[in-house]
Amino acid sequence: MKTRNNKRWNKALFFMATAVFIAMILYSNALINNIREEERRKVSVWADAITYRADLVSYMDDFFKTIRVAESKRAALLVKAMQKVNDAPLHEDPSFYLEVIASNSTIPSILTDAHGNINYTVNLDAKIANMKHISELGDKKSDFDSLIMPYYKDRYNILYYKESNIYSNLRTAIDNLVEVFFQEIVINDASVPVIVTDSTMRDIITYGMINPEDIQTDEAKAKLIKHFLSHHKPIQIELPHQGVCYVLYDESPVLMQLRYYPIIQFIIIFIFAVAAYLIFTFARRYEQNRVWVGMSKETAHQLGTPISSLLAWSELLKEQEVDPAIMKEIDKDVHRLETIAQRFSKIGSEPELENENIATVIEEFIGYLQSRISSKVAIKVNRNDVKDFDLPINKYLFEWVIENLCKNSVDAMNGNGVIIIDLSEDEKNFFVDISDTGKGIPSNQFNLIFQPGYTTKKRGWGLGLPLAKRIIQQYHKGKLFVKSSVIGRGTVMRIQFRK
């Protein structure tokens, strides 16, 4: 009954632990879903910001193009005005053209003679304005366009001009704006892997939070783009100098790690549960072993005194010339008590094993046991042509196992039936099969009957089979188990030894 109660408690604890684990998993999944939705919201906001910034960049680019066209027209007008001044007839008033030239406050210009000597500068910094010859510009000369302006026969001046400072500053501003835009893509607030592709979605313009080694080859780029497209819809934007582009993004590393959190959590809990179970089992077995050893030692000690007295009384009765047949049986029982005391004394200590023919040991013990059980029970031993049955065993403990199994069979048959002990072998093992014609054991109790405390007897302690299994497994390195059982027809218990 105690074992059944323990079973119920074990099942209750198992179901409680399972319920707690399921609740934790559900809560973790809910938390992951909330984080996923929050991250999607952040990505959406960040993507909208990218779109707005891209619109701003596009607007600035269009504005920049407009100014560039206007500056080009003004430069062309300035050049035409200078040509008109030089080519104007004497009767024509050049004041209008001179006014156009004088109104130039933005286009940097340098006027030189045919030999490169600088005659006039406008809208240039002081360093260039103080130069005497055009060669002093060095590499900066390539920044200027030039126009030859003949004024008398083979004489001419040269006008050097370039885009205005306003145009240059605007171009620098728009380039900085584009650079800032790309930086915001690379270092994004949503902390997600992101790439910007061209209109064909084949080439990657820029990227963020991605290992550069993952996009070194065209195949790697295509694979990454395909992966991103399978997770989220691309965001179309338009960038200066690039045209239509697409923003592709993936889930953040944090969210990807959280996806595996329930699995990791399950593994940790499982390891902890297994470790706790093993520790608990070891502690329980250790405690049981201590109890068994203590009970065995105490039993052996308590039997010692009456056995010594019985030996003395036996000798005294022999001197009184009591019937020798009676004295022989008394001696057998006293010897039996000594054997039992030795069995109990060996529990908890490493027994001494000696090579014994277990067939002979079984036959001799059955000869003793047969006369002390019900006369309606027959015990038969079949060697089955097995000659060499020598194994290292402890005779006293092994006889105890056979006695427990046989007595259980007698109880299962209600003192009326047949017990057959079959000895057999294969290439690696020796087998001792003990079969009876009793009531049988339900299949769901094959393992339960070996647990301490489990018994179907009204006055049983439930220690016989657990001790027998302990003796076979721990002391003899063998196995003891239920080979087969049929309700109403009998049971076969098997002892297995490695050769």
Side-chain angles (χ1 to χ4, degrees):
M1 185 61 68
K2 182 178 179 181
T3 301
R4 292 180 180 177
N5 291 334
N6 289 338
K7 279 284 185 180
R8 293 193 187 99
W9 274 109
N10 290 339
K11 290 181 179 179
L13 290 174
F14 173 77
F15 286 127
M16 290 175 61
T18 303
V20 171
F21 175 73
I22 293 175
M24 292 178 64
I25 293 298
L26 293 176
Y27 177 77
S28 298
N29 288 334
L31 181 62
I32 290 173
N33 290 332
N34 292 336
I35 295 175
R36 185 189 297 116
E37 292 300 324
E38 180 66 17
E39 188 168 279
R40 286 179 179 175
R41 187 188 66 80
K42 288 182 178 180
V43 170
S44 178
V45 172
W46 175 81
D48 290 341
I50 289 179
T51 303
Y52 296 148
R53 179 59 62 86
D55 292 340
L56 178 60
V57 170
S58 179
Y59 171 78
M60 293 295 294
D61 186 56
D62 292 339
F63 180 67
F64 176 70
K65 290 178 181 178
T66 302
I67 294 178
R68 182 173 57 188
V69 172
E71 286 292 321
S72 298
K73 290 181 179 180
R74 292 190 64 183
L77 181 62
L78 177 64
V79 172
K80 287 182 180 180
M82 288 185 175
Q83 288 178 335
K84 284 290 184 180
V85 170
N86 291 327
D87 298 340
L90 294 175
H91 63 274
E92 184 176 351
D93 185 7
S95 59
F96 172 75
Y97 303 109
L98 292 174
E99 184 179 350
V100 171
I101 296 172
S103 66
N104 174 29
S105 60
T106 58
I107 301 175
S109 305
I110 301 175
L111 184 65
T112 70
D113 59 16
H115 301 290
N117 297 313
I118 297 176
N119 298 325
Y120 174 75
T121 62
V122 64
N123 300 325
L124 290 168
D125 55 41
K127 184 178 179 181
I128 297 178
N130 294 327
M131 292 181 180
K132 301 299 182 181
H133 197 274
I134 194 67
S135 61
E136 296 181 37
L137 286 175
D139 295 337
K140 293 183 179 180
K141 184 179 178 181
S142 60
D143 296 338
F144 291 81
D145 292 325
S146 61
L147 178 66
I148 297 176
M149 302 172 56
Y151 63 92
Y152 181 74
K153 293 184 179 181
D154 57 348
R155 297 181 181 181
Y156 59 88
N157 291 328
I158 301 176
L159 177 65
Y160 294 91
Y161 66 95
K162 65 176 182 177
E163 61 187 27
S164 68
N165 293 331
I166 296 177
Y167 178 80
S168 299
N169 293 336
L170 284 175
R171 185 170 62 181
T172 302
I174 196 70
D175 290 340
N176 292 337
L177 187 60
V178 173
E179 182 66 24
V180 170
F181 170 73
F182 285 125
Q183 288 179 357
E184 289 190 359
I185 292 176
V186 174
I187 308 173
N188 56 80
D189 293 335
S191 300
V192 298
V194 62
I195 58 177
V196 179
T197 71
D198 60 4
S199 59
T200 65
M201 291 191 185
R202 294 180 181 176
D203 188 28
I204 296 177
I205 299 174
T206 187
Y207 58 89
M209 297 193 70
I210 295 175
N211 189 349
E213 296 180 356
D214 295 338
I215 54 174
Q216 286 184 346
T217 64
D218 292 338
E219 293 181 358
K221 292 179 181 179
K223 183 178 180 181
L224 186 64
I225 292 172
K226 183 178 179 181
H227 172 73
F228 279 22
L229 286 173
S230 65
H231 284 75
H232 300 283
K233 185 178 179 180
I235 300 173
Q236 180 177 331
I237 59 176
E238 190 167 346
L239 300 179
H241 313 299
Q242 297 291 344
V244 175
C245 300
Y246 293 95
V247 176
L248 309 179
Y249 62 94
D250 196 9
E251 294 177 344
S252 69
V254 174
L255 184 57
M256 296 178 68
Q257 291 174 5
L258 284 175
R259 287 184 180 276
Y260 297 101
Y261 175 72
I263 299 176
I264 297 173
Q265 187 180 39
F266 171 77
I267 293 174
I268 293 174
I269 293 175
F270 177 77
I271 293 174
F272 176 79
V274 170
Y277 174 77
L278 293 176
I279 293 173
F280 174 75
T281 302
F282 175 79
R284 184 179 63 180
R285 289 181 179 176
Y286 177 75
E287 188 65 26
Q288 289 176 351
N289 290 341
R290 290 185 61 186
V291 172
W292 286 358
V293 170
M295 290 177 61
S296 300
K297 298 294 184 183
E298 181 63 21
T299 301
H301 176 72
Q302 294 295 334
L303 287 174
T305 301
I307 289 174
S308 299
S309 299
L310 289 174
L311 288 173
W313 283 109
S314 176
E315 294 298 326
L316 182 59
L317 290 175
K318 288 178 182 178
E319 294 179 358
Q320 299 295 326
E321 298 181 357
V322 177
D323 186 352
I326 295 175
M327 293 305 304
K328 182 178 180 181
E329 293 301 321
I330 291 176
D331 288 340
K332 285 183 180 180
D333 288 334
V334 172
H335 177 70
R336 179 63 179 167
L337 288 173
E338 288 181 329
T339 301
I340 293 173
Q342 290 183 13
R343 290 175 182 173
F344 281 110
S345 66
K346 294 182 183 297
I347 297 296
S349 58
E350 193 67 26
E352 296 179 1
L353 305 181
E354 297 181 0
N355 280 330
E356 300 277 357
N357 188 307
I358 61 174
T360 303
V361 172
I362 292 174
E363 289 172 342
E364 290 178 353
F365 178 73
I366 294 302
Y368 166 82
L369 183 64
Q370 182 70 74
S371 61
R372 284 163 176 77
I373 60 176
S374 174
S375 59
K376 296 180 181 180
V377 175
I379 302 178
K380 299 180 181 179
V381 179
N382 297 328
R383 289 197 176 214
N384 297 315
D385 297 328
V386 178
K387 297 179 179 179
D388 185 11
F389 243 108
D390 289 343
L391 289 173
I393 64 171
N394 184 278
K395 180 178 178 181
Y396 301 107
L397 295 179
F398 182 71
E399 287 179 348
W400 194 359
V401 173
I402 299 299
E403 180 180 357
N404 272 323
L405 296 178
C406 289
K407 285 187 175 181
N408 282 341
S409 295
V410 171
D411 293 337
M413 297 185 298
N414 294 321
N416 187 6
V418 178
I419 299 174
I420 299 176
I421 302 178
D422 283 307
L423 308 180
S424 60
E425 65 177 336
D426 59 18
E427 294 181 357
K428 298 181 179 180
N429 302 287
F430 287 119
F431 304 104
V432 179
D433 293 335
I434 302 175
S435 59
D436 59 48
T437 56
K439 57 186 177 182
I441 303 173
S443 58
N444 60 355
Q445 296 182 6
F446 281 6
N447 293 323
L448 193 61
I449 61 175
F450 293 104
Q451 293 185 6
Y454 178 81
T455 180
T456 57
K457 304 174 185 177
K458 293 182 179 181
R459 298 183 179 180
W461 285 83
L463 297 178
L465 286 177
L467 280 171
K469 188 168 186 176
R470 175 188 175 91
I471 290 169
I472 295 299
Q473 287 189 345
Q474 294 191 11
Y475 297 153
H476 295 87
K477 309 304 178 184
K479 295 180 180 180
L480 173 60
F481 55 93
V482 180
K483 180 184 178 184
S484 62
S485 184
V486 179
I487 301 299
R489 296 181 58 183
T491 301
V492 179
M493 304 291 292
R494 166 163 283 188
I495 302 173
Q496 177 179 329
F497 294 106
R498 296 285 294 180
K499 287 186 177 179

